[in-house]
């Protein structure tokens, strides 16, 4: 019965078969040898799940034992019979024993019922305990997974994406494999790609915020970088002597304190300290870990390229003030300072090649913008400030390793416009100087004024220095002012060439070329306009002629000045600047002299327009005509102003005046179609007028002028009047064509034409020809 119960228990508990014969033999041996505790043996059979096979093995073993028993019984039969007999003898005792055993068994069964009940309870408790321990063991395995998952959730909530990504990697590769048999791991594994996508999207959002933040701070970064460079340049210049100007802080602006240019909290910060680059680095690491670094790099480069396009666009107010240029430069410097910083702090995000290509494209656009914007500027002072900013901009970018050759070339091209602006400013200054000048010799009343003029203009006259005040210079106020303006132009032109790394020869050529253009173009044009003004009188033209003479003398001083300022640091004193001002002033003086001649002629024409001859006059008035008297008085007063003119000019002017008087008189006699008849009295009146002119010519109107030459200029009309007034036609005809002729200037045509008018005036002919040709 016990064996059957055990067999049924085995059938219910063992999960599977076993074919290990030796193992069954060992288990069978344990059952046969152990009579008290078979639990471990049965548990082994149940855990291995081979109870059916074991039962079959037991059946075989029982049959084997039966055979052994039968064999033993056969061999011990007699002994068995004896034993039976003995047993029969003890039957009664056995019955008693059986009764006793039954009684004990009943008592034992009663007692064991509660024990078995307790045993079942203990077994259940042990199973529960085992299950609890197993659960605890599995929970201890799962607990780190849940802790890591919770940590991941917290990191995502705190936007700590890079640590979250690390936690996600550990969760996936280190923790989940240990609990792979549980269904909840499937949920985790399904969420891992979602977490990665969330981290990637959130990182990209941070990158966008970073790029927007960088774009806003680029101006401030560039401002700070240029400020530091400006301070370095300024500190380098301090203590140095410069003949052109005192050291100038390139970053300083008029009316601004350089120490207050940035807030106090930004003092001592570098340009990179203004921006937190950690979001970019985190995003780069995250995309690198996710294996999508190329997507990040492409997006970053595309966005920065678009930002560079915006940065390179000129602000709308750029041409209006220096602030527009400063903002433009700050934004560009800030952009490329950031790129340079990322070049050395990231692994391949910004490469040297791509950065150089971006800068090469950008610097060309910047150069074009600067050339375009400065072309609208008409203020030389503003262009100077712009040039300082461009130099500071270039020096700042040079400090970060960028090539600025395009900017240097742009500065040279801007210099051409700067020269044009300077020239235009000088043009207005020259016009204002000419407008304010009274064209009288400059007069000073004290030593201070005299010293001021001498200091501004290189003029020395020992006689003038010894004379008493007031002293009169031979030139008017325009001369020192023009000279000073030209020197200012040279200084301003030379200032622009500073720090451009030009050779001395190139600087010399630039200064000479611009100065020559100023002299031969601007100043020459202004003088020409002045000289040709109808409102400029004859005396003013004379003073202008004198002024050009002194300005011509300043050409050598201007050359020495240019040589000194451009070669101040060069030991070779053989260099000599050559200007074209001398020839220009000669041309201007020649034009002024021509205008003097024309003004004299015009005045003579005005005087002759006042003439009112009576061509039928019988007797002359006995004195010169009023208009001739007034004309001679005007010429005498005018030629007094010719004293300071060169003798050649004065002689030419006097000769031109006499020649024009000669032509006007000849025209009145011969050329005027309204004069159809000329009486002898009218000719004698003309003779009186001519005598007045000849007296003026012989009076040496300008000291040093040959009076014979002036009288010679009146010979045409003199010989014609003498011929008719003296009725000397016989001598005219006799000596005509001979070198000794008395009337070589009287042409037959002139004589015939005047004779015709004379004949008409004294008709009838008989009364005229008789006395005329008598003798």
């Amino acid at each position: 019965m016990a064996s059957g119960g055990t067999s049924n228990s085995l059938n219910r508990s063992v999960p599977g078969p076993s074919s290990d014969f030796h193992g069954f033999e060992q288990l069978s041996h344990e059952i046969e040898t152990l009579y008290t505790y078979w639990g471990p043996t049965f548990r082994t059979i149940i855990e291995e799940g081979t109870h059916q096979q074991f039962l079959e093995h037991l059946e075989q073993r029982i049959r084997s034992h039966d055979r052994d028993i039968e064999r033993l019984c056969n061999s011990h039969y007699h002994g068995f019979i004896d034993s039976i007999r003995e047993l029969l003898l003890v039957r009664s005792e056995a019955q008693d024993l059986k009764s006793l055993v039954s009684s004990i068994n009943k008592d034992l069964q009663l007692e064991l019922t509660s024990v078995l009940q307790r045993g079942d309870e203990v077994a259940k408790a042990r199973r529960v305990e085992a299950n609890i321990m197993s659960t605890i063991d599995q929970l201890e395995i799962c607990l780190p997974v849940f802790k890591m998952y919770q940590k991941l959730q917290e990191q995502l909530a705190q936007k700590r994406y890079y640590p979250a990504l690390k936690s996600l990697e550990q969760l996936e590769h280190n923790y989940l494999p240990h609990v792979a048999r549980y269904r909840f791991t499937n949920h985790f594994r399904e969420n891992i790609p979602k977490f990665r996508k969330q981290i990637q999207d959130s990182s990209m959002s941070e990158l966008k915020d970073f790029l927007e933040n960088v774009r806003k701070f680029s101006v401030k970064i560039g401002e700070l970088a240029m400020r530091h460079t400006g301070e370095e340049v300024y500190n380098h210049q301090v203590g140095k002597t410069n003949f052109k100007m005192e050291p100038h802080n390139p970053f300083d602006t008029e009316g601004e304190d350089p120490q207050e240019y940035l807030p106090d909290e930004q003092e001592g910060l570098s340009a990179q300290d203004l921006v937190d680059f950690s979001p970019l680095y985190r995003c780069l690491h995250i995309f690198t870990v996710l294996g999508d670094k190329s997507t990040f790099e492409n997006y970053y480069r595309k966005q920065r390229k678009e930002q560079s396009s915006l940065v390179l666009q000129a602000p709308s107010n750029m041409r209006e003030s220096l602030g527009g240029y400063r903002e433009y430069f700050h934004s560009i410097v800030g952009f490329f300072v950031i790129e340079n910083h990322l070049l050395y702090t990231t692994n391949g995000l910004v490469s040297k090649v791509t950065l150089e290509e971006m800068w090469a494209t950008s610097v060309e656009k910047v150069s074009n913008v600067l050339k375009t914007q400065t072309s609208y500027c008409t203020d030389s002072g503003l262009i100077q400030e712009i040039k300082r900013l461009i130099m500071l901009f270039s020096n700042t970018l040079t400090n970060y390793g960028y090539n600025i050759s395009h900017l240097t070339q742009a500065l040279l091209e801007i210099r051409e416009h700067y020269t044009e602006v300077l020239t235009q400013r000088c043009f207005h200054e020259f016009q204002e100087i000419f407008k304010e000048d009274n064209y009288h010799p400059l007069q000073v009343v004290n030593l201070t004024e005299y010293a001021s003029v001498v200091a501004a203009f290189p003029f020395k006259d020992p006689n003038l220095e010894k004379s008493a005040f007031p002293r009169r210079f031979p030139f008017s106020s325009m001369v020192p002012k023009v000279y000073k303006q030209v020197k200012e132009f040279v200084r301003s032109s030379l200032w622009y060439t500073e720090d451009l790394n030009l050779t001395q020869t190139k600087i010399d050529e630039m200064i000479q070329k611009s100065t020559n253009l100023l002299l031969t173009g601007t100043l020459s044009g202004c003088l020409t306009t002045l000289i040709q003004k109808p409102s400029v009188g004859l005396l003013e033209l004379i003073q202008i002629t004198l002024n050009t003479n002194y300005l011509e003398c300043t050409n050598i001083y201007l050359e020495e000045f240019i040589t000194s300022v451009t070669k101040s640091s060069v030991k070779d004193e053989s260099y000599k600047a050559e200007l074209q001002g001398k020839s220009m002033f000669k041309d201007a003086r020649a034009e002024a002299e021509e205008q003097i001649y024309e003004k004299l002629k015009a005045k003579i024409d005005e005087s002759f327009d006042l003439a009112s001859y009576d061509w039928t006059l019988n007797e002359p008035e006995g004195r010169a005509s009023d208009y001739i008297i007034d004309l001679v008085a005007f010429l005498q007063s005018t030629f007094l102003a010719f004293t300071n003119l060169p003798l050649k000019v004065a002689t030419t002017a006097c000769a031109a005046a006499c020649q024009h008087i000669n032509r006007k008189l000849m025209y009145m006699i011969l050329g005027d179609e309204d004069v159809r008849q000329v009486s002898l009295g009218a000719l004698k009146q003309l003779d009186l007028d001519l005598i007045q002119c000849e007296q003026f010519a012989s009076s040496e109107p300008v000291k040093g002028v040959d009076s014979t030459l002036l009288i010679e200029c009146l010979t045409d009309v003199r010989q014609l009047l003498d011929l008719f007034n003296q009725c000397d036609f016989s001598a005219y005809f006799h000596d005509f064509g001979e070198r000794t002729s008395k009337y070589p200037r009287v042409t037959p045509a002139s004589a015939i034409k005047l004779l015709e008018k004379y004949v008409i005036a004294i008709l009838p002919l008989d009364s005229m020809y008789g006395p005329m040709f008598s003798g």
Side-chain angles (χ1 to χ4, degrees), residues 275-469:
V275 175
D276 180 16
F277 289 93
S278 57
L280 176 69
Y281 299 148
R282 286 197 301 269
C283 192
L284 176 60
H285 292 323
I286 288 171
F287 274 80
T288 302
V289 172
L290 292 175
D292 202 11
K293 183 179 179 181
S294 60
T295 300
F296 172 82
E297 291 178 346
N298 294 334
Y299 178 81
Y300 174 83
R301 291 168 183 171
K302 178 182 177 182
Q303 293 299 314
R304 290 297 280 173
K305 187 175 182 180
E306 293 177 357
Q307 288 185 358
S308 69
S309 300
L310 295 175
V311 165
L312 295 174
Q313 292 178 0
S316 58
N317 64 336
M318 184 170 177
R319 69 183 65 171
E320 298 175 359
S321 65
L322 193 63
Y325 287 91
R326 187 179 293 114
E327 179 182 355
Y328 182 62
F329 291 144
H330 289 170
S331 60
I332 294 175
V333 170
F335 180 89
F336 284 99
V337 165
I338 291 172
E339 291 300 296
N340 181 268
H341 177 72
L342 295 178
L343 173 65
Y344 296 103
T345 57
T346 58
N347 186 17
L349 177 61
V350 178
S351 66
K352 187 72 172 177
V353 175
T354 56
L355 185 56
E356 289 178 352
E357 291 176 355
M358 182 184 295
W359 169 247
T361 304
S362 301
V363 72
E364 187 173 352
K365 293 181 181 179
V366 172
S367 300
N368 293 333
V369 167
L370 291 177
K371 288 184 285 189
T372 301
Q373 295 297 322
T374 54
S375 65
Y376 296 102
C377 184
T378 57
D379 183 1
S380 60
L382 179 59
I383 296 179
Q384 290 178 359
E385 295 298 329
I386 292 172
K387 185 256 181 179
R388 289 191 181 102
L389 273 180
I390 295 176
M391 290 301 303
L392 180 60
F393 174 70
S394 301
N395 292 334
T396 303
L397 291 171
T398 301
N399 291 341
Y400 287 93
Y402 294 102
N403 187 349
I404 61 167
S405 57
H406 278 82
L407 293 176
T408 303
Q409 185 62 34
L411 280 170
L412 294 178
E413 295 184 23
I414 293 173
R415 182 195 171 276
E416 296 178 1
H417 175 67
Y418 173 72
T419 303
E420 293 175 1
V421 172
L422 283 180
T423 303
Q424 190 65 23
R425 186 184 72 178
C426 289
F427 171 77
H428 295 296
E429 291 291 338
F430 290 149
Q431 286 188 326
E432 192 66 25
I433 290 171
F434 296 158
K435 181 180 179 181
E436 294 176 353
D437 196 359
N438 58 9
Y439 299 100
H440 287 79
L442 181 60
Q443 181 172 301
V444 293
V445 297
N446 53 51
L447 186 60
T448 302
E449 293 182 359
Y450 179 81
S452 176
V453 174
V454 173
F457 183 73
F459 176 79
K460 293 182 180 180
D461 186 353
N463 295 328
L464 184 62
E465 292 179 359
K466 296 176 182 179
S467 64
F469 289 100

Side-chain angles (χ1 to χ4, degrees), residues 43-44 86 122 132 205 248 253 322 444 477 521 655 668 717 769:
R43 185 172 65 185
T44 301
E86 290 179 359
V122 170
I132 291 174
S205 177
H248 176 81
T253 55
L322 193 63
V444 293
S477 62
M668 291 175 65
V717 68
Y769 283 110

Side-chain angles (χ1 to χ4, degrees), residues 529-595:
T529 303
L530 174 66
I531 292 169
Q532 293 178 353
K533 272 186 178 180
S535 59
V536 176
L538 184 60
L539 295 177
E540 293 171 335
L541 283 172
I542 294 173
Q543 186 61 56
I544 291 171
T545 303
L546 291 171
N547 289 345
T548 55
N549 186 51
Y550 286 100
L551 286 174
E552 179 185 345
C553 296
T554 63
N555 191 74
I556 186 172
Y557 297 108
L558 287 175
E559 290 176 350
E560 292 176 354
F561 173 73
I562 293 175
T563 301
S564 65
V565 297
T566 58
K567 306 289 288 185
S568 60
S569 60
V570 180
K571 296 182 180 180
D572 183 9
E573 299 295 337
S574 62
Y575 169 79
K576 179 77 172 180
E578 295 182 0
L579 299 179
Q580 300 171 1
K582 193 170 185 179
S583 59
M584 184 277 294
F585 288 123
K586 284 183 178 179
D587 295 339
R589 185 169 63 255
E591 188 173 1
E593 293 170 358
E594 187 64 32
Q595 285 297 115

Side-chain angles (χ1 to χ4, degrees), residues 478-685:
M478 67 169 275
V479 174
K481 290 181 179 179
V482 168
Y483 179 74
K484 180 181 179 181
Q485 189 62 40
V486 174
K487 289 178 68 175
E488 288 296 328
F489 175 85
V490 171
R491 289 192 184 95
S492 298
S493 298
L494 182 61
W495 174 88
Y496 193 94
T497 61
E498 290 182 354
D499 303 322
L500 293 184
N501 296 324
L502 300 176
T503 62
Q504 192 64 48
T505 303
K506 185 68 175 178
I507 294 175
D508 299 337
E509 292 176 355
M510 285 183 174
I511 300 302
Q512 287 187 51
K513 181 180 178 181
S514 58
T515 307
N516 281 327
L517 287 175
L518 177 71
L519 295 176
T520 59
T522 306
L523 183 55
S524 176
C526 291
L527 286 173
T528 300
T529 303
L530 174 66
I531 292 169
Q532 293 178 353
K533 272 186 178 180
S535 59
V536 176
L538 184 60
L539 295 177
E540 293 171 335
L541 283 172
I542 294 173
Q543 186 61 56
I544 291 171
T545 303
L546 291 171
N547 289 345
T548 55
N549 186 51
Y550 286 100
L551 286 174
E552 179 185 345
C553 296
T554 63
N555 191 74
I556 186 172
Y557 297 108
L558 287 175
E559 290 176 350
E560 292 176 354
F561 173 73
I562 293 175
T563 301
S564 65
V565 297
T566 58
K567 306 289 288 185
S568 60
S569 60
V570 180
K571 296 182 180 180
D572 183 9
E573 299 295 337
S574 62
Y575 169 79
K576 179 77 172 180
E578 295 182 0
L579 299 179
Q580 300 171 1
K582 193 170 185 179
S583 59
M584 184 277 294
F585 288 123
K586 284 183 178 179
D587 295 339
R589 185 169 63 255
E591 188 173 1
E593 293 170 358
E594 187 64 32
Q595 285 297 115
I596 290 174
Y597 306 150
E598 294 299 325
K599 290 286 184 181
L600 281 172
K601 294 175 184 178
K603 189 63 179 178
I604 293 172
D605 291 339
E606 291 176 4
S607 297
F608 274 91
D609 289 340
L610 299 175
S612 58
Y613 283 101
D614 182 4
W615 298 104
T616 60
L617 188 66
N618 293 324
E619 294 292 335
E621 297 178 356
R623 65 181 183 87
S625 301
D626 293 336
Y627 83 94
I628 287 293
I629 295 174
D630 294 339
L631 175 60
V632 169
F634 165 75
L635 292 176
Q636 286 176 338
S637 62
T638 299
F639 287 155
L640 287 177
F642 281 40
T643 305
N644 294 324
L645 285 175
L647 181 61
K648 180 181 177 181
V649 178
T651 302
T652 303
C654 292
C658 293
Q659 287 175 352
H660 196 61
I661 291 173
N662 179 74
R663 284 193 294 270
K664 294 297 290 186
L665 290 173
M666 291 291 289
Y667 175 78
M668 291 175 65
I669 299 172
L670 303 175
D672 193 349
E673 297 296 335
D674 294 334
V675 180
R676 298 181 179 274
Q677 55 182 337
V678 179
S679 65
L680 187 60
L683 291 176
K684 290 186 178 296
Q685 183 61 44

